[in-house]
Amino acid sequence: MKRSTLHTMLVAVVICTAPLLVLAARVGQAAPDFTATASIGKAFRLSDYRGKYVVLEWHNNGCPYVGKHYRSGNMQRLQKQWTGQGVVWFTIISSAPGKQGYVTATEENEYLAKMQAAPTAALLDPTGEIGHLYDAKTSPQMVVINPQGIVIYDGAIDDRPTTDLSDIAGATNYVNLALEQAMAGKQVQTPTTRPYGCSVKYPDSTH
Amino acid sequence: MTPKRPKLEPIYPTLFEMENLEKGRPNKKMRGSDSSRRLSPALMFGVALVLRAGGAQGAETPIPHGTLELVAENQWVTPGHDFSLGLHFQLEKGWHIYWVNPGDSGEPLRVTWQLPPGLSPGVIEWPAPRRLGTSRIVDFGYENAVTLIVPMHADSSLAAQPLARLGAEIKVLICREMCIPGKTELSLALPVKSQRPAPDPRTRDLFAATRKELPRPAPQNWKFSVDDAGDSFVLAANVTPQITQAIFFPLAEAQIDNSAPQILLPLAPGFRLTLRKSDRLLKPIERLKGVLVLSGNHAYLIDVPVIKRGARRSNSGSGIQEIQYSMGGT
């Protein structure tokens, strides 16, 4: 009895401290694995896509920085271009219920249809677990993972940290650069940048 | 914190145009013809706001969840005498704008000036910001009210004229739990006179209070050092007053981990402040520049060479050699 109580306590301590010990994703290191339910109802596990390039796109449909890339059609173009070349593209929504950008599966499916978005899947992360795993700070923060499961890019979508649609033309798109350089067998020249945008609306977000 | 300012009168002619880019949100506050709606943010603050009279006079321009006003420190522009303008923000409770380095999210305001020939803007003087956010995401910015001072150069060739129009297009992001981009055009008409500059009594207190909030160079006898200690930078100083609080705001983004606690170790004399490096900092940096806010809200501008840990021990020479070492190593 005593022993099992102690055991339970130890397990509880391990469980409580474990999230603190998990290191967030870093460029050059293995991409942390996760399983998430997509808006279409299917579960996706990152490690099932070893052998392919994977793009993670943090999304919040109420964020003006995200709006810049969707209303211009820029994000959809990127999604179509890269999934057309065999890249797996996960849009990840880490907004907590009640926070800006939180959507139900149905709402997200409607949004995807309306915006003609074309990710491989939109993953629902209302607890923020995947967001924390990647230390996602903003939407649209972008992560590129190579076929060996290594993070090769983490940061902004491009070099124009504004909400102006007119800044898309002429911007240097870091996701394109990372994918193009990696696919050509080259070193990614800019492996990380400050991810611009709105803060990810985790359960404790206040700003 | 909030600078005391005289009761607002319609001082300067102001033009405005607001643009709310947020999808699906009609631009009620900014462009709506209902003036009571336009005034509501200001009235929430109990600010005496005077309506524009026939478009010729105006005080504060509405921005999302606040107001913005372009003010001048002097009553007129004097050719050959530099002067200051101020961008005075008043924000609704809980809303904020950003410092020059916004931190983890957001962006600082951008100003495009339209000035008569002979006038040119200097670099914005930013008061010390505050840390805003949670344990995971920390931004640097301002809540409530803030004035950004913009030094202006007036060439001696500037011709005297009854009213010179100084225009500014402002793009500013205003955030609370969500962010709203605002765009507005401000303008100010000032006479250009050959007479000596004279301060405007209506803005004197505002500028004086704002200048008190500006970070200043640290006293000359304070010595700072920064050690590159692998995962962190250790900022040390020999300051004589007892330091119980210290917050460092880096000027460059992606140098330190904005949300990591900054660990203060008071020493006698001085202190050490440990700043966790950003995961995005992949190359060594030569210098750490930023604003250091110490006990009592005293803000100092610092610019300190970064020395690799170990360099000190192996290199027992002067500070100059240490600097050379760190620069050679980058």
Side-chain angles (χ1 to χ4, degrees), chain A residues 8-46:
Chain A
T8 310
M9 281 170 67
L10 279 174
V11 169
V13 166
V14 170
I15 290 170
C16 289
T17 55
L20 299 173
L21 300 175
V22 172
L23 283 174
R26 290 176 81 157
V27 162
Q29 296 180 4
D33 197 18
F34 58 81
T35 302
T37 306
S39 62
I40 51 169
K42 190 181 157 192
F44 285 83
R45 188 169 69 177
L46 178 68

Side-chain angles (χ1 to χ4, degrees), chain B:
Chain B
M1 215 32 210
T2 304
K4 250 174 63 184
R5 58 165 322 186
K7 193 173 166 185
L8 280 164
E9 296 294 335
I11 311 176
Y12 309 108
T14 305
L15 304 170
F16 72 86
E17 184 203 34
M18 287 300 311
E19 195 177 280
N20 184 344
L21 294 171
E22 199 178 34
K23 181 169 60 79
R25 294 198 131 226
N27 208 349
K28 286 177 198 158
K29 275 186 182 143
M30 279 63 70
R31 212 170 259 160
S33 56
D34 180 352
S35 62
S36 67
R37 270 187 176 162
R38 208 167 68 201
L39 292 177
S40 63
L43 289 175
M44 280 176 66
F45 270 87
V47 172
L49 183 81
V50 182
L51 267 174
R52 301 191 307 146
Q57 297 274 353
E60 298 157 330
T61 298
I63 56 172
H65 300 281
T67 59
L68 172 58
E69 186 179 5
L70 179 62
V71 294
E73 189 169 26
N74 294 339
Q75 294 179 48
W76 54 78
V77 177
T78 307
H81 288 261
D82 293 352
F83 63 104
S84 291
L85 296 179
L87 294 165
H88 179 64
F89 288 86
Q90 301 211 68
L91 303 170
E92 288 175 26
K93 190 171 167 48
W95 293 82
H96 62 263
I97 59 167
Y98 293 88
W99 188 48
V100 59
N101 171 10
D104 283 332
S105 70
E107 66 177 278
L109 90 165
R110 282 170 293 148
V111 188
T112 311
W113 291 96
Q114 293 103 31
L115 299 168
L119 286 186
S120 52
V123 177
I124 294 177
E125 294 175 3
W126 303 82
R130 292 188 51 204
R131 279 166 71 96
L132 306 164
T134 63
S135 57
R136 295 181 190 272
I137 301 178
V138 167
D139 294 341
F140 306 138
Y142 310 101
E143 295 177 302
N144 304 318
V146 66
T147 305
L148 306 177
I149 293 180
V150 188
M152 302 294 291
H153 173 71
D155 207 84
S156 51
S157 66
L158 189 66
Q161 48 197 294
L163 280 181
R165 186 162 290 271
L166 285 58
E169 185 201 72
I170 312 284
K171 289 180 179 174
V172 60
L173 188 76
I174 300 109
C175 301
R176 191 174 63 183
E177 251 197 68
M178 55 179 198
C179 293
I180 304 173
K183 181 175 148 188
T184 185
E185 285 186 14
L186 305 170
S187 90
L188 181 62
L190 286 176
V192 180
K193 298 183 185 181
S194 56
Q195 287 161 261
R196 289 192 60 228
D200 190 327
R202 292 168 297 185
T203 59
R204 186 164 40 204
D205 290 353
L206 180 70
F207 277 89
T210 302
R211 290 219 158 84
K212 274 192 195 158
E213 308 265 320
L214 292 178
R216 62 204 69 200
Q220 293 232 325
N221 59 337
W222 289 9
K223 299 291 177 230
F224 291 95
S225 68
V226 175
D227 270 334
D228 182 335
D231 283 348
S232 56
F233 295 113
V234 179
L235 170 65
N238 70 340
V239 304
T240 36
Q242 183 71 37
I243 298 302
T244 53
Q245 277 187 310
I247 305 174
F248 178 70
F249 296 94
L251 266 178
E253 56 194 36
Q255 285 188 343
I256 71 165
D257 182 332
N258 300 322
S259 61
Q262 302 187 355
I263 317 281
L264 176 69
L265 178 65
L267 300 170
F271 65 87
R272 272 210 297 268
L273 187 65
T274 301
L275 309 165
R276 206 185 113 78
K277 280 187 192 172
S278 166
D279 285 348
R280 300 181 193 286
L281 186 62
L282 303 180
K283 293 175 184 166
I285 56 169
E286 289 183 7
R287 304 183 76 86
L288 192 66
K289 298 179 194 179
V291 171
L292 183 63
V293 180
L294 300 178
S295 311
N297 268 339
H298 299 295
Y300 301 98
L301 281 167
I302 63 164
D303 179 357
V304 186
V306 177
I307 301 175
K308 278 219 171 72
R309 177 164 275 190
R312 239 162 225 222
R313 289 184 205 105
S314 60
N315 184 344
S316 56
S318 70
I320 290 168
Q321 280 173 300
E322 288 170 8
I323 292 167
Q324 285 170 339
Y325 177 92
S326 79
M327 291 175 83
T330 53

